[in-house]
Amino acid sequence: MGWITLNRPEVLNAYNAEMCAELVDAFRKYQRDDGMRALVLTGAGRAFCAGGDVRSAKEAEEGATRQLGHGMVMREGMHAVNRALYALDKPVIALVNGPAVAGGLVLALLCDFRIAARSARLGDTSGRVGLLPDEGGAWVFPRVMGVDAALRMTLLNEVYGAARARELGLVTEVVADDDLHRRGAELAEELARRAPLAVRLAKRMVRRAQSLTFDQALGDAEFAVDIVNDSQDVQEGVRAFVEKRRPSFGGR
């Protein structure tokens, strides 16, 4: 189990170029490490992530001087982060400990599970300064909450408390603030005990199935079972079931 903590609390963990590069590197290391079976992502201080740091002079200057510079800064920054996160085939849990807005909300929604503290607030504030849901929100928001709700949140720059966010599908689970890290660790440990091959392939299948026909999804399943069904993990799982004990999966 691994933990990533966004650590710019003085700006509510708003991202800049350095943070983006570090996140991409961290996600890729997690993907390559077979011994790490679950990842928890959270923020330091009183926020999860407030989106982009609009006060960052470096990115603003770079965007103004390069050809198609603003788009290039986005592509090399938060777009790279979100592509790396979305590409992960291992579980990721977001612990939303405070505001998760604009790009910070996109970051949370690209995780597989979002556990929110009761005091957390989630929404899209990008339009308050005339910006767009350009970190991936235009794609993610309607898929999570429906087109009309996503448009309302984005166009009116709405921010919701944790309970309302759960009703809208933005949050998986709401817990007391003091229980947030304990619950995150508990879920991560439970996921880490599962059969790694099955977990990774199941996540891939579910993600891919969103853009496949039913027959295409069943074709995916046929290839996947050829990998999993003869694995040592399945043999161990069957033995453990017969012996009435918890299985110990090795990912082979």
Side-chain angles (χ1 to χ4, degrees), residues 3 9 11 26 34 37 46 57 66 68 94 131 152 172 194 204 230 249 251-252:
W3 287 72
V11 290
D34 289 345
R37 300 182 182 181
R46 59 189 182 90
R66 298 164 69 185
L68 301 178
L131 294 172
R152 178 186 175 103
T172 309
R194 305 292 171 174
R204 288 190 186 191
D230 290 332
F249 296 116
R252 295 289 185 271

PDB file of all heavy atoms in Angstrom, residues 3 9 11 26 34 37 46 57 66 68 94 131 152 172 194 204 230 249 251-252:
ATOM      1  N   TRP A   3       1.066   5.746  -0.232  1.00  0.00           N
ATOM      2  CA  TRP A   3       0.374   7.002   0.044  1.00  0.00           C
ATOM      3  C   TRP A   3       1.046   8.119  -0.739  1.00  0.00           C
ATOM      4  O   TRP A   3       2.281   8.192  -0.792  1.00  0.00           O
ATOM      5  CB  TRP A   3       0.431   7.346   1.535  1.00  0.00           C
ATOM      6  CG  TRP A   3      -0.455   6.495   2.397  1.00  0.00           C
ATOM      7  CD1 TRP A   3      -0.264   5.180   2.713  1.00  0.00           C
ATOM      8  CD2 TRP A   3      -1.668   6.890   3.041  1.00  0.00           C
ATOM      9  NE1 TRP A   3      -1.277   4.740   3.535  1.00  0.00           N
ATOM     10  CE2 TRP A   3      -2.153   5.763   3.752  1.00  0.00           C
ATOM     11  CE3 TRP A   3      -2.382   8.099   3.107  1.00  0.00           C
ATOM     12  CZ2 TRP A   3      -3.325   5.801   4.500  1.00  0.00           C
ATOM     13  CZ3 TRP A   3      -3.549   8.130   3.854  1.00  0.00           C
ATOM     14  CH2 TRP A   3      -4.011   6.998   4.537  1.00  0.00           C
ATOM     15  N   PRO A   9       0.258  23.078   1.197  1.00  0.00           N
ATOM     16  CA  PRO A   9      -0.898  23.495   1.997  1.00  0.00           C
ATOM     17  C   PRO A   9      -1.116  24.999   2.033  1.00  0.00           C
ATOM     18  O   PRO A   9      -2.238  25.461   2.260  1.00  0.00           O
ATOM     19  CB  PRO A   9      -0.578  22.944   3.393  1.00  0.00           C
ATOM     20  CG  PRO A   9       0.906  22.778   3.411  1.00  0.00           C
ATOM     21  CD  PRO A   9       1.280  22.379   2.010  1.00  0.00           C
ATOM     22  N   VAL A  11      -1.239  26.971  -0.349  1.00  0.00           N
ATOM     23  CA  VAL A  11      -2.114  27.377  -1.456  1.00  0.00           C
ATOM     24  C   VAL A  11      -3.201  26.318  -1.673  1.00  0.00           C
ATOM     25  O   VAL A  11      -3.678  26.110  -2.785  1.00  0.00           O
ATOM     26  CB  VAL A  11      -1.316  27.620  -2.755  1.00  0.00           C
ATOM     27  CG1 VAL A  11      -0.453  28.859  -2.642  1.00  0.00           C
ATOM     28  CG2 VAL A  11      -0.465  26.399  -3.118  1.00  0.00           C
ATOM     29  N   ALA A  26       5.288   9.667  -9.602  1.00  0.00           N
ATOM     30  CA  ALA A  26       4.780   8.808  -8.527  1.00  0.00           C
ATOM     31  C   ALA A  26       3.780   7.783  -9.054  1.00  0.00           C
ATOM     32  O   ALA A  26       3.817   6.605  -8.663  1.00  0.00           O
ATOM     33  CB  ALA A  26       4.137   9.662  -7.437  1.00  0.00           C
ATOM     34  N   ASP A  34       4.998  -4.112  -8.542  1.00  0.00           N
ATOM     35  CA  ASP A  34       4.006  -5.171  -8.335  1.00  0.00           C
ATOM     36  C   ASP A  34       3.723  -5.429  -6.861  1.00  0.00           C
ATOM     37  O   ASP A  34       2.676  -5.990  -6.517  1.00  0.00           O
ATOM     38  CB  ASP A  34       4.479  -6.470  -8.991  1.00  0.00           C
ATOM     39  CG  ASP A  34       4.427  -6.409 -10.512  1.00  0.00           C
ATOM     40  OD1 ASP A  34       3.771  -5.494 -11.046  1.00  0.00           O
ATOM     41  OD2 ASP A  34       5.056  -7.276 -11.157  1.00  0.00           O
ATOM     42  N   ARG A  37      -0.045  -2.707  -4.015  1.00  0.00           N
ATOM     43  CA  ARG A  37      -1.323  -3.158  -4.571  1.00  0.00           C
ATOM     44  C   ARG A  37      -2.462  -2.171  -4.407  1.00  0.00           C
ATOM     45  O   ARG A  37      -3.557  -2.393  -4.941  1.00  0.00           O
ATOM     46  CB  ARG A  37      -1.717  -4.493  -3.936  1.00  0.00           C
ATOM     47  CG  ARG A  37      -0.697  -5.598  -4.180  1.00  0.00           C
ATOM     48  CD  ARG A  37      -1.169  -6.905  -3.582  1.00  0.00           C
ATOM     49  NE  ARG A  37      -0.177  -7.964  -3.770  1.00  0.00           N
ATOM     50  CZ  ARG A  37      -0.357  -9.218  -3.356  1.00  0.00           C
ATOM     51  NH1 ARG A  37      -1.481  -9.547  -2.740  1.00  0.00           N
ATOM     52  NH2 ARG A  37       0.584 -10.109  -3.558  1.00  0.00           N
ATOM     53  N   ARG A  46      -5.530  21.642   5.136  1.00  0.00           N
ATOM     54  CA  ARG A  46      -6.992  21.695   5.198  1.00  0.00           C
ATOM     55  C   ARG A  46      -7.663  21.546   3.837  1.00  0.00           C
ATOM     56  O   ARG A  46      -8.857  21.869   3.699  1.00  0.00           O
ATOM     57  CB  ARG A  46      -7.445  23.008   5.840  1.00  0.00           C
ATOM     58  CG  ARG A  46      -6.988  24.267   5.128  1.00  0.00           C
ATOM     59  CD  ARG A  46      -7.307  25.522   5.954  1.00  0.00           C
ATOM     60  NE  ARG A  46      -6.917  26.743   5.283  1.00  0.00           N
ATOM     61  CZ  ARG A  46      -7.701  27.437   4.463  1.00  0.00           C
ATOM     62  NH1 ARG A  46      -8.945  27.016   4.241  1.00  0.00           N
ATOM     63  NH2 ARG A  46      -7.281  28.550   3.886  1.00  0.00           N
ATOM     64  N   ALA A  57       3.488  32.445 -11.613  1.00  0.00           N
ATOM     65  CA  ALA A  57       4.005  33.323 -12.663  1.00  0.00           C
ATOM     66  C   ALA A  57       4.725  32.541 -13.754  1.00  0.00           C
ATOM     67  O   ALA A  57       4.680  32.906 -14.931  1.00  0.00           O
ATOM     68  CB  ALA A  57       4.940  34.365 -12.058  1.00  0.00           C
ATOM     69  N   ARG A  66       5.068  30.913 -25.731  1.00  0.00           N
ATOM     70  CA  ARG A  66       5.255  29.792 -26.642  1.00  0.00           C
ATOM     71  C   ARG A  66       4.094  29.694 -27.626  1.00  0.00           C
ATOM     72  O   ARG A  66       2.975  30.124 -27.332  1.00  0.00           O
ATOM     73  CB  ARG A  66       5.369  28.487 -25.851  1.00  0.00           C
ATOM     74  CG  ARG A  66       6.557  28.446 -24.906  1.00  0.00           C
ATOM     75  CD  ARG A  66       6.443  27.338 -23.878  1.00  0.00           C
ATOM     76  NE  ARG A  66       6.559  26.013 -24.453  1.00  0.00           N
ATOM     77  CZ  ARG A  66       6.401  24.899 -23.745  1.00  0.00           C
ATOM     78  NH1 ARG A  66       6.123  24.963 -22.459  1.00  0.00           N
ATOM     79  NH2 ARG A  66       6.523  23.729 -24.316  1.00  0.00           N
ATOM     80  N   LEU A  68       0.997  28.297 -29.193  1.00  0.00           N
ATOM     81  CA  LEU A  68      -0.050  27.494 -28.549  1.00  0.00           C
ATOM     82  C   LEU A  68       0.351  27.157 -27.115  1.00  0.00           C
ATOM     83  O   LEU A  68       0.109  26.062 -26.613  1.00  0.00           O
ATOM     84  CB  LEU A  68      -0.324  26.208 -29.344  1.00  0.00           C
ATOM     85  CG  LEU A  68      -0.783  26.399 -30.793  1.00  0.00           C
ATOM     86  CD1 LEU A  68      -0.958  25.049 -31.470  1.00  0.00           C
ATOM     87  CD2 LEU A  68      -2.072  27.200 -30.866  1.00  0.00           C
ATOM     88  N   ALA A  94      -9.031   8.226  -3.271  1.00  0.00           N
ATOM     89  CA  ALA A  94      -8.858   9.633  -2.910  1.00  0.00           C
ATOM     90  C   ALA A  94      -9.461   9.862  -1.532  1.00  0.00           C
ATOM     91  O   ALA A  94     -10.624   9.521  -1.303  1.00  0.00           O
ATOM     92  CB  ALA A  94      -9.526  10.542  -3.933  1.00  0.00           C
ATOM     93  N   LEU A 131     -12.105  30.887 -16.171  1.00  0.00           N
ATOM     94  CA  LEU A 131     -11.395  29.737 -16.725  1.00  0.00           C
ATOM     95  C   LEU A 131     -12.371  28.613 -17.094  1.00  0.00           C
ATOM     96  O   LEU A 131     -13.567  28.697 -16.806  1.00  0.00           O
ATOM     97  CB  LEU A 131     -10.339  29.241 -15.736  1.00  0.00           C
ATOM     98  CG  LEU A 131      -9.181  30.218 -15.479  1.00  0.00           C
ATOM     99  CD1 LEU A 131      -8.301  29.709 -14.337  1.00  0.00           C
ATOM    100  CD2 LEU A 131      -8.348  30.417 -16.744  1.00  0.00           C
ATOM    101  N   ARG A 152     -24.768  22.519 -14.678  1.00  0.00           N
ATOM    102  CA  ARG A 152     -25.160  23.415 -13.584  1.00  0.00           C
ATOM    103  C   ARG A 152     -23.965  23.707 -12.685  1.00  0.00           C
ATOM    104  O   ARG A 152     -23.687  24.860 -12.342  1.00  0.00           O
ATOM    105  CB  ARG A 152     -26.295  22.798 -12.777  1.00  0.00           C
ATOM    106  CG  ARG A 152     -26.719  23.657 -11.590  1.00  0.00           C
ATOM    107  CD  ARG A 152     -27.751  22.973 -10.709  1.00  0.00           C
ATOM    108  NE  ARG A 152     -28.000  23.797  -9.545  1.00  0.00           N
ATOM    109  CZ  ARG A 152     -29.077  24.564  -9.386  1.00  0.00           C
ATOM    110  NH1 ARG A 152     -30.004  24.624 -10.335  1.00  0.00           N
ATOM    111  NH2 ARG A 152     -29.218  25.287  -8.288  1.00  0.00           N
ATOM    112  N   THR A 172     -17.864   8.542  -2.965  1.00  0.00           N
ATOM    113  CA  THR A 172     -18.227   7.154  -2.712  1.00  0.00           C
ATOM    114  C   THR A 172     -18.758   6.959  -1.297  1.00  0.00           C
ATOM    115  O   THR A 172     -19.715   6.211  -1.071  1.00  0.00           O
ATOM    116  CB  THR A 172     -16.992   6.238  -2.893  1.00  0.00           C
ATOM    117  OG1 THR A 172     -16.380   6.525  -4.148  1.00  0.00           O
ATOM    118  CG2 THR A 172     -17.383   4.776  -2.839  1.00  0.00           C
ATOM    119  N   ARG A 194      -6.694  -8.545  -2.000  1.00  0.00           N
ATOM    120  CA  ARG A 194      -7.357  -9.227  -3.108  1.00  0.00           C
ATOM    121  C   ARG A 194      -6.337  -9.756  -4.107  1.00  0.00           C
ATOM    122  O   ARG A 194      -5.178  -9.343  -4.120  1.00  0.00           O
ATOM    123  CB  ARG A 194      -8.329  -8.274  -3.810  1.00  0.00           C
ATOM    124  CG  ARG A 194      -9.358  -7.642  -2.888  1.00  0.00           C
ATOM    125  CD  ARG A 194     -10.346  -8.664  -2.368  1.00  0.00           C
ATOM    126  NE  ARG A 194     -11.198  -8.095  -1.311  1.00  0.00           N
ATOM    127  CZ  ARG A 194     -12.233  -8.728  -0.762  1.00  0.00           C
ATOM    128  NH1 ARG A 194     -12.540  -9.944  -1.172  1.00  0.00           N
ATOM    129  NH2 ARG A 194     -12.934  -8.167   0.192  1.00  0.00           N
ATOM    130  N   ARG A 204      -9.332  -2.955 -15.712  1.00  0.00           N
ATOM    131  CA  ARG A 204      -9.186  -2.709 -17.143  1.00  0.00           C
ATOM    132  C   ARG A 204     -10.482  -3.026 -17.889  1.00  0.00           C
ATOM    133  O   ARG A 204     -10.915  -2.277 -18.770  1.00  0.00           O
ATOM    134  CB  ARG A 204      -8.060  -3.572 -17.720  1.00  0.00           C
ATOM    135  CG  ARG A 204      -6.660  -3.154 -17.343  1.00  0.00           C
ATOM    136  CD  ARG A 204      -5.657  -3.929 -18.168  1.00  0.00           C
ATOM    137  NE  ARG A 204      -4.291  -3.680 -17.754  1.00  0.00           N
ATOM    138  CZ  ARG A 204      -3.222  -4.060 -18.435  1.00  0.00           C
ATOM    139  NH1 ARG A 204      -3.379  -4.748 -19.564  1.00  0.00           N
ATOM    140  NH2 ARG A 204      -2.006  -3.798 -18.006  1.00  0.00           N
ATOM    141  N   ASP A 230      -6.012 -19.933 -14.870  1.00  0.00           N
ATOM    142  CA  ASP A 230      -4.971 -20.930 -14.597  1.00  0.00           C
ATOM    143  C   ASP A 230      -3.885 -20.398 -13.670  1.00  0.00           C
ATOM    144  O   ASP A 230      -2.843 -21.046 -13.493  1.00  0.00           O
ATOM    145  CB  ASP A 230      -4.319 -21.388 -15.914  1.00  0.00           C
ATOM    146  CG  ASP A 230      -5.263 -22.233 -16.760  1.00  0.00           C
ATOM    147  OD1 ASP A 230      -6.147 -22.893 -16.186  1.00  0.00           O
ATOM    148  OD2 ASP A 230      -5.125 -22.211 -17.998  1.00  0.00           O
ATOM    149  N   PHE A 249      -2.701 -14.219  -1.633  1.00  0.00           N
ATOM    150  CA  PHE A 249      -2.455 -14.118  -3.062  1.00  0.00           C
ATOM    151  C   PHE A 249      -1.072 -13.547  -3.345  1.00  0.00           C
ATOM    152  O   PHE A 249      -0.667 -12.561  -2.749  1.00  0.00           O
ATOM    153  CB  PHE A 249      -3.520 -13.258  -3.724  1.00  0.00           C
ATOM    154  CG  PHE A 249      -4.907 -13.814  -3.645  1.00  0.00           C
ATOM    155  CD1 PHE A 249      -5.906 -13.158  -2.941  1.00  0.00           C
ATOM    156  CD2 PHE A 249      -5.216 -14.996  -4.284  1.00  0.00           C
ATOM    157  CE1 PHE A 249      -7.196 -13.666  -2.867  1.00  0.00           C
ATOM    158  CE2 PHE A 249      -6.504 -15.531  -4.219  1.00  0.00           C
ATOM    159  CZ  PHE A 249      -7.490 -14.853  -3.511  1.00  0.00           C
ATOM    160  N   GLY A 251      -0.038 -12.844  -6.663  1.00  0.00           N
ATOM    161  CA  GLY A 251       0.007 -12.123  -7.927  1.00  0.00           C
ATOM    162  C   GLY A 251       0.627 -12.927  -9.043  1.00  0.00           C
ATOM    163  O   GLY A 251       1.193 -12.359  -9.989  1.00  0.00           O
ATOM    164  N   ARG A 252       0.514 -14.245  -8.987  1.00  0.00           N
ATOM    165  CA  ARG A 252       1.089 -15.114 -10.018  1.00  0.00           C
ATOM    166  C   ARG A 252       0.038 -16.146 -10.472  1.00  0.00           C
ATOM    167  O   ARG A 252      -0.817 -16.515  -9.724  1.00  0.00           O
ATOM    168  CB  ARG A 252       2.313 -15.878  -9.482  1.00  0.00           C
ATOM    169  CG  ARG A 252       3.468 -14.960  -9.131  1.00  0.00           C
ATOM    170  CD  ARG A 252       4.113 -14.392 -10.384  1.00  0.00           C
ATOM    171  NE  ARG A 252       5.292 -13.603 -10.078  1.00  0.00           N
ATOM    172  CZ  ARG A 252       5.269 -12.280  -9.805  1.00  0.00           C
ATOM    173  NH1 ARG A 252       4.117 -11.644  -9.809  1.00  0.00           N
ATOM    174  NH2 ARG A 252       6.385 -11.635  -9.536  1.00  0.00           N
TER     175      ARG A 252
END
